[in-house]
Structure formats: C-alpha cells, structure tokens
Amino acid sequence: MKFFLSLFVFSMLFSSCINQNKADYEVKAELQLIDTLNGQLDEIKSWLDKISLEEINERYDIITHNYEYCDMRYRDLGLVVDEETARLMDEYKGYGKLYHRASDSFKPLVMEMEELYVQLKTLKASAYTKDYKKELFLAYFEREKKAVQDIYEYANNIIKPIIDTDLMYERSQKRVEELAESLKAE
C-alpha cells in the first residue's frame, strides 16, 4: 500500500513538473513573439531618433524658400534653365515632398508607436501571468502584429527615405545654395 501511495505521489509530482515545463515553454515562446514586435518598434524609434520634427520642418522650409527664390529669379531675369539645373531642381523639389510628408506624419507616427509599446508591455505582462489561454493570447498577438507591421511599413515609406537620402539631400542643398548665390549676383 505504501508503495502505491509513493508511486501516486511521485506520478503527481512528475506530472506537475511536466505541466510546469510546458507552461514555462509557452511563456517563453509568447515572450519571444512579443520581443520580435518590440524589435520592429525599436527600429522605427531608431529612425525617428536620427532626425527631429524641428529639423524636418526646417529643411522643408529651406527647400521651399530656395526653390521659390531660384524659380522667381530665373523668371525675373528671363533665363533659360539648362538640363543640369532642371534635374537638380527636380531632385531638390522631390526632397521637399519627402520632408513635407514626414512633417505631416511625424507626430501621429510617434503617438501610434508609443501606444503600441504600451500595448505590447501589457501583453507581455499577461504572458508572464498567463492571464489568457493560448488561443486568446494568439488572437491578441495577431492584432498587435498587424498594427506593428502597418506602422513599420508606414515609417519605412515616410521616415526611412529621409534617413537614406540625407547625404544626397545635403549635396543638393549645397548646389542649390550656390545657384541661388549666383542668381543674386545677376
């Protein structure tokens, strides 16, 4: 009888350990899923940290002013725009469009990103405490995953191009400023 009682207690402990290991594995897997989404948000944050809204607005204003000034001077002086200058000004105007889009999108992007960080933090806490069954957790995770992917794609199309073209913008900016100076002399 003692043997059966010992065997029963042992099997209960063994079963408990197996269930605990399974629960630990599920928690670890859920946390890894959440960390993947946090990684995408961190990448967006790194893009936003490279350029401020003030700098975006300042560059947009400078581009608008320089473009309008050069255009006005060419018209006032009756000059014909050569092909190289036309390409430069088209490229420069394109940067203006990039900065304008980024300016309009910056604050909503930051607010959405911060909201997603909070939601992921809440989801992570619930993964630790096992507040949700696996199916419900996965449903919440999929919703957050879609939101993170949407904001990532949006930031990739709005903010990332500014970061990627920064050096090209600076070269164009220098050339346009030289052009504007030469037009002042005429």
Side-chain angles (χ1 to χ4, degrees):
M1 183 69 142
K2 260 185 163 180
F3 174 73
F4 289 116
L5 185 59
S6 297
L7 187 60
F8 176 74
V9 170
F10 176 73
S11 68
M12 292 300 290
L13 286 173
F14 185 71
S15 174
S16 169
C17 288
I18 289 174
N19 288 338
Q20 183 62 37
N21 285 341
K22 182 180 176 191
D24 288 345
Y25 175 76
E26 284 180 2
V27 168
K28 190 182 272 188
E30 290 172 354
L31 294 175
Q32 285 176 336
L33 289 172
I34 295 167
D35 287 344
T36 301
L37 299 182
N38 272 321
Q40 287 181 305
L41 290 178
D42 289 344
E43 187 172 3
I44 295 169
K45 186 177 181 320
S46 75
W47 297 338
L48 294 171
D49 288 345
K50 289 181 180 173
I51 191 162
S52 67
L53 179 58
E54 292 77 23
E55 188 175 358
I56 290 170
N57 287 331
E58 181 181 327
R59 286 183 175 190
Y60 175 70
D61 290 343
I62 289 170
I63 290 169
T64 302
H65 171 75
N66 286 344
Y67 185 86
E68 288 174 357
Y69 175 79
C70 290
D71 183 54
M72 179 193 68
R73 288 299 293 164
Y74 265 88
R75 290 176 196 270
D76 288 349
L77 297 171
L79 299 173
V80 176
V81 179
D82 61 85
E83 188 177 331
E84 182 181 337
T85 302
R87 271 195 301 261
L88 170 64
M89 295 309 285
D90 284 346
E91 177 184 330
Y92 194 63
K93 190 174 184 179
Y95 294 129
K97 289 177 183 178
L98 286 175
Y99 284 101
H100 184 67
R101 283 181 34 200
S103 175
D104 291 345
S105 303
F106 198 90
K107 283 183 182 177
L109 187 63
V110 169
M111 290 172 46
E112 177 71 17
M113 187 182 69
E114 288 174 354
E115 185 178 313
L116 285 170
Y117 269 125
V118 170
Q119 290 170 345
L120 290 177
K121 184 177 180 181
T122 303
L123 192 58
K124 194 172 206 173
S126 71
Y128 276 119
T129 59
K130 294 302 286 173
D131 290 343
Y132 307 120
K133 293 186 186 257
K134 183 178 179 179
E135 295 77 24
L136 187 56
F137 171 84
L138 289 174
Y140 284 134
F141 173 78
E142 286 300 320
R143 187 183 72 202
E144 298 307 321
K145 179 181 173 184
K146 169 98 172 81
V148 169
Q149 287 173 339
D150 288 347
I151 194 174
Y152 183 88
E153 187 173 322
Y154 187 70
N156 195 38
N157 291 328
I158 302 296
I159 301 298
K160 185 100 173 21
I162 290 174
I163 306 302
D164 291 343
T165 61
D166 189 53
L167 291 175
M168 292 180 285
Y169 158 76
E170 289 178 11
R171 282 191 290 261
S172 291
Q173 177 65 24
K174 183 179 180 202
R175 291 174 53 208
V176 169
E177 286 177 354
E178 289 169 356
L179 175 66
E181 282 300 315
S182 72
L183 289 171
K184 282 182 185 176
E186 293 197 30

